[in-house]
Amino acid sequence: MIAVVKTVSEVKKQVSEWKRIGLSVGLVPTMGFLHEGHVSLINRAVEENDRVVVSDFVNPRQFSSSEDLETYPRNLEKDVSICGQAGADLVFNPEVDEMYPDDFCSSVSMTGLQNELCGKSRPGHFGGVCTVVCKLFNIVSPDRAYFGEKDAQQLAIIRHMVKDLNMNVEIVGCPTVREADGLAKSSRNSYLNEEERRASAVLYRALCAGRDLILAGERDCSRVTAVMKSVVDEEPLAEIDYIDIVDAFTIEKTEAAEGDILMAMAVYIGKTRLIDNLFMRI
Ligand code: PAF
């Protein structure tokens, strides 16, 4: 039977009991409103660990004042049932002041890796992500932690933080789960009305167009992104935030499609900002 706890001390107590008898612990950090993408992370964590903790916390520190913190979708009851069915052992669902009491004044910051892609249009976002993920690692002391490749920049940043700060956790990246038309599963897809949902397939179509061009031999990234942009521009409900090709590890823009690259984009469909990416090894 899955347990739901609200306090840091309850998580620490449970995890230390597991660790005392030699059990390994996997952590799946989430902001809740779980979908098949999260389920794939939990499944992988269950396969690879004796016990699995899912954190379910909409982290205010990664939202700017103009973003959707208040309206971000939430459904704890459904989340707990999904976690239980997937074989997780504990859901950690703290209140904001449990994570950030009034006198909270520390943070993890990062340079470089957050200069491109989402870091440009969401200043402060990745600092907020690193701070909460660092806290979750300290609370749960997981052997492994599971993140989706859909948030490729987040994954690269977390891997870097773990290396830079010598954190004792293995970071496991898991493939993006897609709808039949290619749309990457995301909690924010729930914002889309029927027409927007149909339009949102344009992100994956554009990524595939870029991939096909590179597979056909094109190496000039500006020509590839121009084609990807033209695909998105054909969709009247879509407005491009960015479409870029970056080095998959440094997240710096690259002119030539060579080595390990990430074709990445953020596109507004109506008011909803969706992100997606494809990794290619050339
Ligand atoms: O990817 C997410 O859902 C969030 O950024 C994370 C990693 C749970 C931190 O709040």
Side-chain angles (χ1 to χ4, degrees), residues 28-32 38 55 57-59 62-63 72 125-126 128-130 132-133 136 146-148 151 154 158 187:
V28 182
T30 82
M31 296 208 300
H38 297 111
S55 63
F57 176 62
V58 182
N59 172 36
Q62 65 190 78
F63 290 78
Y72 194 84
H125 169 69
F126 288 115
V129 170
C130 285
V132 80
V133 170
L136 290 168
Y146 296 78
F147 296 88
D151 298 306
Q154 167 173 285
I158 289 168
S187 306

Side-chain angles (χ1 to χ4, degrees), residues 34-228:
L34 305 183
H35 50 69
E36 287 90 334
H38 297 111
V39 172
S40 75
L41 304 182
I42 302 170
N43 287 340
R44 176 92 180 260
V46 167
E47 265 168 46
E48 296 180 353
N49 301 276
D50 299 313
R51 295 288 181 270
V52 170
V53 178
V54 178
S55 63
D56 189 316
F57 176 62
V58 182
N59 172 36
R61 294 200 169 227
Q62 65 190 78
F63 290 78
S64 74
S65 55
S66 61
E67 289 180 334
D68 55 346
L69 173 63
E70 295 310 324
T71 54
Y72 194 84
R74 291 160 167 91
N75 190 340
L76 180 64
E77 208 181 313
K78 190 165 171 220
D79 290 348
V80 173
S81 142
I82 289 173
C83 289
Q85 274 169 29
D89 300 279
L90 189 74
V91 173
F92 176 42
N93 175 239
E95 297 299 332
V96 172
D97 58 6
E98 177 70 7
M99 293 296 271
Y100 303 115
D102 283 346
D103 62 350
F104 186 87
C105 59
S106 306
S107 63
V108 180
S109 67
M110 181 159 288
T111 52
L113 281 164
Q114 61 174 24
N115 292 343
E116 297 292 337
L117 309 184
C118 290
K120 260 189 187 161
S121 42
R122 302 187 73 189
H125 169 69
F126 288 115
V129 170
C130 285
T131 301
V132 80
V133 170
C134 173
K135 280 175 69 70
L136 290 168
F137 288 172
N138 287 333
I139 294 165
V140 179
S141 307
D143 298 278
R144 294 172 202 86
Y146 296 78
F147 296 88
E149 288 171 354
K150 184 185 122 299
D151 298 306
Q153 187 173 17
Q154 167 173 285
L155 180 56
I157 283 175
I158 289 168
R159 283 192 199 285
H160 223 286
M161 173 181 79
V162 164
K163 179 167 86 65
D164 287 349
L165 302 182
N166 310 99
M167 294 174 164
N168 286 324
V169 53
E170 181 190 335
I171 302 302
V172 183
C174 302
T176 303
V177 178
R178 297 184 180 280
E179 305 282 358
D181 63 359
L183 176 65
K185 301 259 185 189
S186 163
S187 306
R188 288 194 168 96
N189 294 353
S190 66
Y191 295 148
L192 302 169
N193 64 30
E194 212 175 304
E195 209 189 337
E196 290 168 343
R197 170 62 193 82
R198 180 203 47 74
S200 61
V202 76
L203 278 84
Y204 190 61
R205 276 207 305 283
L207 287 170
C208 292
R211 178 200 59 197
D212 293 347
L213 211 56
I214 293 173
L215 289 177
E218 182 59 76
R219 291 291 175 268
D220 182 337
C221 288
S222 60
R223 284 210 279 267
V224 178
T225 50
V227 168
M228 292 164 74

